[in-house]
Amino acid sequence: VAIFKCDGGYKIGNGHVIRSLILARALKKKNIKCFFLNMKTNFFLNKLIKKEFKLLKIKRNSFNEIKKKINRLNPYYFVIDDYKFPLNLEKKISTLVQKIIVIEDFANKKHYADLIINQNLNRSKNLYKNKSNCKILAGVKYTLIDPSLKKIFKNKKKIIKNILICFGGFDGHQMNLKILKYLSCIERKFNINILISRADFYYKKINSYIKKEKINAKVHL
């Protein structure tokens, strides 16, 4: 049994849940039963999780509350993809499970884990100071990506005409608009589609920019 602790939605984004789902699907193929333990998730993510796995809800990252939810399941793995999950709680959870796996994006952050996965650029296991027997999987080759996306044929010689821009469930840095402005400076014309959450209220700014610069782009909410 594997328990996945991750949240998602407004100001958090969908990425933590999406990549946890990818790992959970891989474990499911190995006949490992997976459960998702969430504190905050939006309607879309709730529906996505429940389609394949059982969803357990907690009100806060509390050891007693988590113990109550997972103890009867006798989990072997506890997978954490949660920036706010504290080190002292990792240590306490280790008394309930055999292995703790952390999916992380930051360097130099201490964890009490058996395995850390950091899929970002310029990451190495030397950046972490953890348990002596902790295994580190660092670098882009460990990226958790939907296997179906890997099958997309890439022809470098083909001229790009269509571009899809998406920065997940929450774009706090307004990257959609920044990329759109960059593309508008290129002489070649593109057909641009932008996927953005209604929670990102600046989509009105994007529409105004498209109209002002007469860009062949469309926003999808």
Side-chain angles (χ1 to χ4, degrees):
V1 173
I3 305 292
F4 284 80
K5 172 63 187 77
C6 53
D7 296 314
Y10 180 58
K11 290 190 177 181
I12 302 174
N14 298 339
H16 300 287
V17 174
I18 297 299
R19 62 186 180 186
S20 291
L21 277 169
I22 291 164
L23 182 55
R25 287 167 187 150
L27 293 178
K28 187 179 179 181
K29 289 179 181 178
K30 301 288 185 180
N31 294 317
I32 296 174
K33 200 168 183 180
C34 299
F35 296 84
F36 276 71
L37 186 69
N38 299 115
M39 193 163 56
K40 296 177 183 178
T41 43
N42 56 29
F43 175 79
F44 164 73
L45 292 174
N46 281 341
K47 190 174 181 181
L48 200 61
I49 294 168
K50 288 179 180 179
K51 189 177 179 181
E52 301 175 72
F53 304 101
K54 187 169 181 181
L55 178 61
L56 308 172
K57 284 287 187 181
I58 55 174
K59 292 181 179 179
R60 59 190 182 279
N61 283 329
S62 156
F63 176 70
N64 289 333
E65 195 171 347
I66 292 173
K67 182 180 178 180
K68 187 177 179 180
K69 286 287 183 179
I70 72 171
N71 229 14
R72 59 185 176 79
L73 300 173
N74 193 28
Y76 188 88
Y77 299 104
F78 193 86
V79 185
I80 304 167
D81 193 339
D82 183 346
Y83 296 156
K84 294 183 178 181
F85 205 85
L87 175 64
N88 68 328
L89 189 51
E90 287 180 15
K91 290 180 179 179
K92 290 180 179 179
I93 294 297
S94 69
T95 63
L96 304 177
V97 300
Q98 296 297 315
K99 302 289 183 182
I100 290 182
I101 300 171
V102 175
I103 304 173
E104 182 61 279
D105 290 313
F106 301 103
N108 303 315
K109 188 175 179 182
K110 195 171 182 181
H111 291 285
Y112 194 83
D114 299 281
L115 172 65
I116 294 173
I117 303 171
N118 189 321
Q119 59 191 19
N120 291 274
L121 286 167
N122 303 318
R123 293 291 189 261
S124 72
K125 59 183 180 181
N126 298 325
L127 295 170
Y128 290 93
K129 294 179 181 179
N130 299 281
K131 291 168 61 180
S132 59
N133 61 340
C134 179
K135 186 174 181 180
I136 312 293
L137 301 180
V140 293
K141 68 178 180 178
Y142 298 108
T143 300
L144 291 164
I145 187 170
D146 191 328
S148 63
L149 296 177
K150 294 180 180 180
K151 296 177 182 178
I152 296 175
F153 179 73
K154 296 180 180 179
N155 187 345
K156 295 182 180 179
K157 295 181 180 179
K158 189 176 180 181
I159 296 174
I160 297 172
K161 294 182 179 179
N162 302 308
I163 294 178
L164 176 67
I165 305 175
C166 179
F167 285 92
F170 181 68
D171 181 20
H173 298 289
Q174 300 192 7
M175 291 301 298
N176 284 285
L177 185 56
K178 291 175 184 177
I179 295 299
L180 183 63
K181 287 181 178 180
Y182 172 78
L183 292 173
S184 68
C185 295
I186 300 174
E187 289 185 7
R188 191 174 353 130
K189 301 301 179 184
F190 305 103
N191 300 315
I192 304 170
N193 285 283
I194 302 168
L195 298 182
I196 188 168
S197 168
R198 288 184 183 275
D200 290 308
F201 296 109
Y202 84 98
Y203 69 83
K204 294 177 182 178
K205 244 203 254 188
I206 297 175
N207 278 324
S208 295
Y209 183 78
I210 290 170
K211 189 176 179 180
K212 179 184 175 183
E213 299 298 326
K214 298 179 181 178
I215 303 169
N216 186 21
K218 188 174 181 181
V219 174
H220 303 270
L221 300 174

